[in-house]
Amino acid sequence: MARIRTIKPEFFTSEDIASVSPLARLLYIATWCEADKEGRLVWRPGTFKLRYLPADNCDIDALCGELVKSGMVVLYGGGLAYIPSFSRH
């Protein structure tokens, strides 16, 4: 179930955020809506595409790869993921 989350103004000037493409930034915000209160979520790129980027001509697997490669999202067994910085915010 999606959840309501807020974005702090300093999000936009964070070095790790600025290191990924604009659509990856938007997808990262979308993962917050998917995450539980500990920052854990089910990793479903196809669902993310349909739910958060339906009108965008983009490669969702590449965008998800950017988030994982940057360390903003960490994958672990069974199609699960977590957002390491989630609890700080």
Side-chain angles (χ1 to χ4, degrees), residues 10-24:
E10 54 271 13
F11 170 86
F12 300 97
T13 55
S14 172
E15 286 185 27
D16 57 339
I17 298 302
S19 72
V20 297
S21 68
L23 278 179

Side-chain angles (χ1 to χ4, degrees), residues 27-28 30 38 46-47 50-52 65 80 87:
L27 179 60
Y28 182 56
E38 302 298 325
T47 299
L50 292 171
R51 202 175 275 170
Y52 301 111
L80 301 174
S87 63

Side-chain angles (χ1 to χ4, degrees):
M1 172 174 49
R3 296 161 182 86
I4 296 171
R5 304 292 189 209
T6 59
I7 303 167
K8 294 179 181 179
E10 54 271 13
F11 170 86
F12 300 97
T13 55
S14 172
E15 286 185 27
D16 57 339
I17 298 302
S19 72
V20 297
S21 68
L23 278 179
R25 291 177 208 154
L26 183 58
L27 179 60
Y28 182 56
I29 294 167
T31 64
W32 303 349
C33 296
E34 294 290 317
D36 68 11
K37 65 182 182 175
E38 302 298 325
R40 300 172 299 217
L41 63 144
V42 177
W43 192 249
R44 293 188 178 142
T47 299
F48 301 157
K49 170 69 172 120
L50 292 171
R51 202 175 275 170
Y52 301 111
L53 301 168
D56 295 291
N57 183 14
C58 61
D59 180 345
I60 193 67
D61 292 320
L63 294 174
C64 288
E66 280 189 67
L67 297 182
V68 171
K69 183 178 177 185
S70 70
M72 295 161 69
V73 174
V74 175
L75 303 181
Y76 63 99
L80 301 174
Y82 73 95
I83 303 165
S85 65
F86 194 82
S87 63
R88 285 185 289 182
H89 305 291

